[in-house]
Amino acid sequence: MPVTVVVGTQWGDEGKGKITDYLAESADVVVRYQGGTNAGHTVKVGEEVYKFQLLPSGILREEKTCVIGNGVVVDPGVLLRELQDLNARGVTPATLRISERAHVIMPYHKVQDALEEKGKGKLAAGTTMRGIGPCYTDKVARYGIRMVDLLDAEALTEKLDVVVPLKQRLFKSLGGDETLSKADLLREHLDYGEALRDRIADTSVLVDDAIRAGKDVLLEGAQGTHLDIDHGVYPYGTSSNPVAGGASVGAGIGPTRIDSVIGIVKAYTSRVGTGPFPAELHEDPADRIREVGHEYGTVTGRPRRVGWLDQVMVRFSSRVNGLTGLAVTRLDVLGGLDTVKMCTGYTADGKDVTEFPADMRLLARCEPVLEEHPGWPDLTEREWVEMAGRGYGALPETMRAYLDRLAEAVDVPVALISIGPSRAATIDVRA
Ligand code: IMP
């Protein structure tokens, strides 16, 4: 498995952090390829829980090279804090490298995010307010600040000379009264550049060298397929490309280098933010799943909307990502339910809807077609770990039937099964 992409198949929060950390054991290089501080990846090692917004989830394995690719938008203040926190907990990721081409989330992007959300009315996505959309917008508009600019006072001054007055006018037009100080922005960001100088590099070369040397490379996505700017629930998604194609662009390697794509599927569906959600649960057992699964945003703390596993969404993901295997997570959270349901399709306006619609008004009218499956027992975290230790055959028959049904419905084999937050609660069924 030399070059593998890990991608979320739903609306993010599928457990990518845990699976990336697990797969990182056999990788040499772990690359985060898109998104920014909107992500919240949780990794549990022993009794220690780590939450990352920017650092690749492989960072806890200190011998691995970790890379923040050009497709990521970097908030340098947050990145430095994450590194300091790790240092304080005894982890020193000496090998972390950040692409010189990655764009920088500037303080004005966060102000802009808030002002624009306020003015967007029904089009507001319920963003994480971390400046993600405005940063990617500036990148495409070609006046973004890149990591390499933080190393060059003249280049940064030249850009801020143009951008600061422009942002100031924008704030005013959006009803904002914040005043930007070019001198402060310059000082703060040159300081960040100094602090990160040794880590800022041409990471495309680094990753390519690793591939040429036959090393195993893991490409880690943030968010999920249905938040993708092209393939997601536009305009309610994020501003980057979490899909596997984004891994090639965001890591700086050609698509022919990628060997496999693992799609992370949570055993149910969750969603933060606004927009239609056909398989959403509005009653029992929604609260139970939210509480047992701690379904509250890692970044914002917002309660997540929850619903049944939706085959239409995962089939879509299989297609646009070219999935080669599924990693099914959080099956333990559904433990104790008599019946577990799966959405097999939708109906709207008296017709069957078999493909995930681009039309958000149609999606909002879609009713789920649900099939029922017998549930499995509620076990303690320790019991799940013990079961994982005994392998696939030890799983409850009803859970195996649920997994078989999913694999058949989306035509992708199950590669990994996760029945708890720790590394040990993972079953690898790859041949
Ligand atoms: P933004 O990425 O902050 O611009 O937010 C856009 C939409 O994507 C909002 O609905 C967010 O709640 C959602 N979103 C962004 N990042 C994540 C994530 O990591 N997990 C789940 N939802 C996310």
Side-chain angles (χ1 to χ4, degrees):
M1 270 224 323
V3 182
T4 305
V5 179
V6 174
V7 61
T9 63
Q10 295 151 317
W11 276 305
D13 310 314
E14 299 95 348
K16 287 181 299 295
K18 177 199 153 151
I19 298 295
T20 304
D21 170 73
Y22 176 83
L23 291 172
E25 185 174 15
S26 54
D28 302 291
V29 181
V30 183
V31 188
R32 170 88 183 264
Y33 62 80
Q34 49 67 235
T37 39
N38 47 351
H41 292 169
T42 307
V43 181
K44 187 170 183 205
V45 184
E47 287 311 305
E48 293 279 314
V49 177
Y50 298 85
K51 291 182 191 290
F52 303 120
Q53 291 179 40
L54 272 173
L55 290 172
S57 302
I59 201 86
L60 295 173
R61 301 183 186 270
E62 287 171 79
E63 68 286 7
K64 314 290 178 187
T65 300
C66 281
V67 172
I68 294 180
N70 58 277
V72 177
V73 286
V74 179
D75 187 328
V78 175
L79 177 60
L80 285 164
R81 266 203 307 282
E82 287 196 350
L83 285 169
Q84 277 160 9
D85 288 351
L86 272 188
N87 277 334
R89 294 171 77 173
V91 183
T92 45
T95 57
L96 175 75
R97 293 292 176 271
I98 305 145
S99 169
E100 55 195 3
R101 290 179 168 80
H103 279 246
V104 180
I105 301 176
M106 300 294 285
Y108 48 77
H109 289 136
K110 290 175 238 179
V111 178
Q112 189 179 332
D113 202 349
L115 288 172
E116 287 180 338
E117 274 288 282
K118 224 188 301 165
K120 272 187 177 174
K122 282 190 177 160
L123 298 187
T127 74
T128 58
M129 301 282 176
R130 298 302 191 267
I132 306 298
C135 184
Y136 279 115
T137 305
D138 285 8
K139 171 178 176 174
V140 177
R142 286 168 284 135
Y143 48 73
I145 310 286
R146 303 196 296 175
M147 290 304 290
V148 69
D149 298 323
L150 306 189
L151 303 177
D152 180 342
E154 256 178 58
L156 188 57
T157 308
E158 223 170 71
K159 283 195 170 175
L160 289 177
D161 279 345
V162 175
V163 180
V164 168
L166 215 137
K167 293 291 173 190
Q168 207 65 82
R169 285 200 297 278
L170 177 71
F171 288 178
K172 211 167 157 203
S173 74
L174 292 171
D177 53 12
E178 288 79 358
T179 308
L180 295 171
S181 156
K182 199 175 72 187
D184 288 352
L185 286 171
L186 192 62
R187 195 169 345 101
E188 182 185 350
H189 287 80
L190 289 175
D191 284 352
Y192 290 145
E194 230 17 79
L196 293 167
R197 181 174 288 278
D198 295 343
R199 298 188 185 275
I200 299 172
D202 188 340
T203 53
S204 165
V205 172
L206 188 159
V207 179
D208 188 60
D209 283 349
I211 296 171
R212 284 173 193 278
K215 301 223 167 118
D216 283 358
V217 177
L218 197 58
L219 306 172
E220 175 191 9
Q223 290 84 46
T225 300
H226 290 272
L227 291 173
D228 187 277
I229 186 71
D230 285 274
H231 301 288
V233 284
Y234 192 91
Y236 304 114
T238 192
S239 300
S240 64
N241 286 116
V243 295
S248 165
V249 178
I253 57 165
T256 50
R257 298 295 206 183
I258 295 169
D259 299 287
S260 57
V261 183
I262 302 286
I264 316 295
V265 186
K266 188 152 63 177
Y268 50 93
T269 310
S270 71
R271 172 81 171 105
V272 240
T274 45
F277 179 173
E280 183 166 12
L281 264 164
H282 297 285
E283 55 210 22
D284 251 12
D287 289 344
R288 180 196 160 114
I289 293 174
R290 189 176 302 108
E291 292 316 310
V292 177
H294 310 293
E295 291 294 350
Y296 293 88
T298 316
V299 175
T300 59
R302 288 181 287 178
R304 294 180 185 140
R305 300 154 69 192
V306 295
W308 296 117
L309 179 51
D310 184 342
Q311 290 173 8
V312 186
M313 290 180 71
V314 183
R315 265 204 318 267
F316 177 102
S317 289
S318 164
R319 186 179 73 248
V320 300
N321 292 299
L323 298 183
T324 57
L326 304 176
V328 187
T329 63
R330 306 197 131 227
L331 286 149
D332 51 307
V333 171
L334 300 182
L337 298 179
D338 291 338
T339 304
V340 176
K341 295 184 190 172
M342 236 194 265
C343 172
T344 57
Y346 312 138
T347 56
D349 313 325
K351 293 194 194 105
D352 288 342
V353 179
T354 51
E355 297 298 337
F356 198 84
D359 176 350
M360 288 300 112
R361 285 157 60 87
L362 170 60
L363 187 64
R365 293 197 303 280
C366 282
E367 293 292 332
V369 177
L370 296 171
E371 75 184 9
E372 297 198 0
H373 294 259
W376 44 86
D378 186 15
L379 304 180
T380 63
E381 193 173 331
R382 202 180 149 159
E383 286 169 328
W384 285 118
V385 168
E386 278 166 14
M387 187 178 276
R390 284 184 277 126
Y392 181 76
L395 293 177
E397 209 181 313
T398 47
M399 188 188 282
R400 281 186 275 139
Y402 183 78
L403 290 167
D404 286 348
R405 173 70 181 123
L406 173 68
E408 174 218 61
V410 302
D411 198 20
V412 182
V414 173
L416 294 160
I417 297 160
S418 171
I419 47 177
S422 65
R423 285 173 179 170
T426 315
I427 301 174
D428 199 334
V429 288
R430 287 172 294 177

